Amino acid sequence: MRIAIIGAYGLVGSYVSARLVADGHGVVGIGRNIEAARRRLPALDWKRADLADCGVEDWTALLAGVDAVINCAGALQDSPRDDLRAVHVDGVGRLIQACEVAGVQRIVHVSAAGVGPERVTAFNDTKLEAERLLAQASTDWIILRPGLVFAPAAYGGTALLRGLAGFPGVSLVAHGESRVQVVGAEDLALAVARCLTDEAPTRVSLDLVHEEALSLVDLVTRLRGWLGLPPAPVLRLPSYLAGATAAASDALSWLGWRSPMRTAALEQLRMGVRGRAEDAARLDWKPRSFDALLAAAPSGVQERWFARAYFAKPAILVCLFAFWFLSGVIGLTVGFRDAVGVLTASGMNVAPATAAVVVGGLVDMTLALMLAYRPTTGRALQAMPLVTAAYLIGGAVVRPDLWLDPMGPLLKSVPAGFLALAALTTLDER
């Protein structure tokens, strides 16, 4: 079959893509940013499209010759990068119309376990509305509602749980008694493959979860053991602290950051992730337990690195922002005369010394602001070691004696440059 997968480079989409390619299907990968995806998954025929704004005619052209469509695209909450209604409702509606026009035989729509009218959140409301649109489609459809998806690759909510499990000395947990049912990413991909067979039921909604419901405390504790880390006491974060963290993460989303600690994610965890385990039999399929998933993917040093670096990464970025921004502010305000004096003491005229201090302060503040804005963070981290090297070379020429200064003004810049390189290596989100 020729199968189009929307959101083919996401966590779920990448595992589904790999499974279907292995099964011998021709797979069209569709997403809005496909350059890196094309390198990661070269077996797919990649097409660029954004579910949020792609029109019916555009979809119809993209789906020519396609037998089935699998929609793995989704968003967590509204932000400058994501519009829930545009992705979950309007986009799905246009996609359904295009499938009907293009003669697509089947739509497999990946929703989420627990979606229902009793959960009044924007995420659940829009997911539920998309399911209602599918129920009215003339094309055969299957809605899959996976639980908390656990995969060898870390992304989103399960990446957060690994970070909590790897926190030094203590396991941090918010809403620790909430219950979740999991499904493995590879098991989910197998379920999707079963949906493409002639024997699969159609026009049904199926929950994909293992029957065991784990508390978040238990889940984080098991993850810590899987990582090979010694047991640690569980510190239950109060709801107000979790809420404050979520509010801060929401604010950062306006700078382009997509933290899994945003309000919608924590609210989903607070309400729990539950589903009907008996639905698996409809696909002649059985999900593995969480312990079985962990046993099948033994952790290595890379998993421990990731877990330990999870919270170190934002701490490093905050430190770098403060270092560069405050350096610029101090240099242009209370430290301005002293900075100019350092240069004039070497014989430099006042005018060029003043210009050098002003330019240096503005460069420092600009790099800090670029670091804070996610689309330019990478460029800022690349520039910081270069600017640091320029400062060190300039300092060696103008004031070489500062290398021996007991306060180490030049020496202390060296680790700051390498810290930027460390942050650059961990910047990728998926």
Side-chain angles (χ1 to χ4, degrees):
M1 298 176 66
R2 184 167 173 82
I3 303 164
I5 302 178
I6 302 165
Y9 55 72
L11 179 66
V12 173
S14 60
Y15 280 90
V16 171
S17 298
R19 174 74 200 199
L20 297 182
V21 168
D23 287 347
H25 297 291
V27 179
V28 180
I30 299 176
R32 57 183 176 182
N33 299 306
I34 61 174
E35 288 78 11
R38 184 179 281 119
R39 294 189 292 270
R40 288 177 52 228
L41 300 167
L44 275 62
D45 179 14
W46 286 98
K47 307 290 184 182
R48 189 189 310 278
D50 189 344
L51 188 60
D53 56 27
C54 192
V56 175
E57 292 183 357
D58 297 322
W59 277 124
T60 302
L62 283 171
L63 299 179
V66 166
D67 301 301
V69 168
I70 301 169
N71 180 27
C72 299
L76 184 62
Q77 72 181 62
D78 290 324
S79 72
R81 292 173 65 177
D82 295 308
D83 183 327
L84 287 182
R85 175 156 291 276
V87 174
H88 290 169
V89 182
D90 301 335
V92 170
R94 293 190 294 268
L95 176 64
I96 293 170
Q97 294 179 52
C99 287
E100 293 171 341
V101 173
V104 172
Q105 299 170 20
R106 185 166 300 173
I107 303 172
V108 180
H109 176 72
V110 180
S111 185
V115 168
E118 69 281 358
R119 293 192 170 194
V120 185
T121 67
F123 175 83
N124 286 287
D125 288 348
T126 53
K127 281 286 189 182
L128 187 59
E129 195 168 342
E131 293 185 8
R132 288 169 177 161
L133 289 175
L134 274 166
Q136 301 168 13
S138 60
T139 303
D140 279 345
W141 53 268
I142 304 173
I143 295 172
L144 300 180
R145 293 173 158 185
L148 183 67
V149 179
F150 182 80
Y155 181 68
T158 55
L160 170 60
L161 292 172
R162 294 184 199 210
L164 294 172
F167 201 84
V170 65
S171 292
L172 301 173
V173 181
H175 310 304
E177 298 309 314
S178 295
R179 297 277 170 173
V180 299
Q181 291 170 272
V182 302
V183 62
E186 293 169 334
D187 292 350
L188 174 55
L190 175 58
V192 172
R194 295 284 176 86
C195 290
L196 301 175
T197 64
D198 293 336
E199 297 78 20
T202 58
R203 309 187 77 80
V204 294
S205 297
L206 303 175
D207 289 347
L208 302 181
V209 296
H210 187 266
E211 60 187 3
E212 183 181 26
L214 299 169
S215 71
L216 291 180
V217 168
D218 194 17
L219 195 149
V220 170
T221 300
R222 295 189 194 190
L223 275 173
R224 188 173 180 88
W226 173 70
L227 290 167
L229 301 177
V234 175
L235 178 60
R236 299 171 185 267
L237 299 178
S239 57
Y240 70 85
L241 185 57
T245 302
S249 299
D250 290 348
L252 287 173
S253 71
W254 294 96
L255 293 175
W257 297 93
R258 301 172 72 180
S259 169
M261 293 185 287
R262 287 179 289 169
T263 300
L266 291 184
E267 183 64 9
Q268 290 295 116
L269 290 177
R270 184 192 69 78
M271 293 186 294
V273 181
R274 306 294 295 272
R276 302 180 303 269
E278 61 271 18
D279 285 1
R282 300 287 302 275
L283 294 173
D284 192 24
W285 166 87
K286 186 176 181 180
R288 290 171 290 175
S289 68
F290 187 60
D291 286 340
L293 293 172
L294 295 180
S299 69
V301 66
Q302 63 269 27
E303 283 79 23
R304 288 191 290 278
W305 280 359
F306 178 89
R308 287 168 168 160
Y310 189 82
F311 289 104
K313 172 183 171 180
I316 290 172
L317 292 173
V318 169
C319 287
L320 285 171
F321 174 83
F323 174 77
W324 287 88
F325 190 79
L326 292 178
S327 293
V329 170
I330 292 171
L332 293 175
T333 55
V334 295
F336 183 75
R337 289 185 179 180
D338 290 339
V340 173
V342 168
L343 296 179
T344 56
S346 66
M348 184 181 293
N349 292 329
V350 173
T354 300
V357 172
V358 171
V359 170
L362 293 176
V363 167
D364 290 353
M365 294 173 66
T366 299
L367 287 177
L369 295 175
M370 288 176 62
L371 180 75
Y373 185 53
R374 182 61 183 87
T376 57
T377 300
R379 278 177 280 175
L381 291 173
Q382 291 171 341
M384 284 176 178
L386 298 177
V387 173
T388 299
Y391 286 160
L392 294 177
I393 294 172
V397 172
V398 178
R399 290 291 305 271
D401 58 297
L402 291 179
W403 282 100
L404 302 178
D405 190 294
M407 299 300 292
L410 294 182
L411 287 175
K412 289 177 179 177
S413 297
V414 176
F418 280 98
L419 193 63
L421 291 176
L424 186 62
T425 62
T426 61
L427 191 60
D428 290 345
E429 295 174 350
R430 67 171 82 208

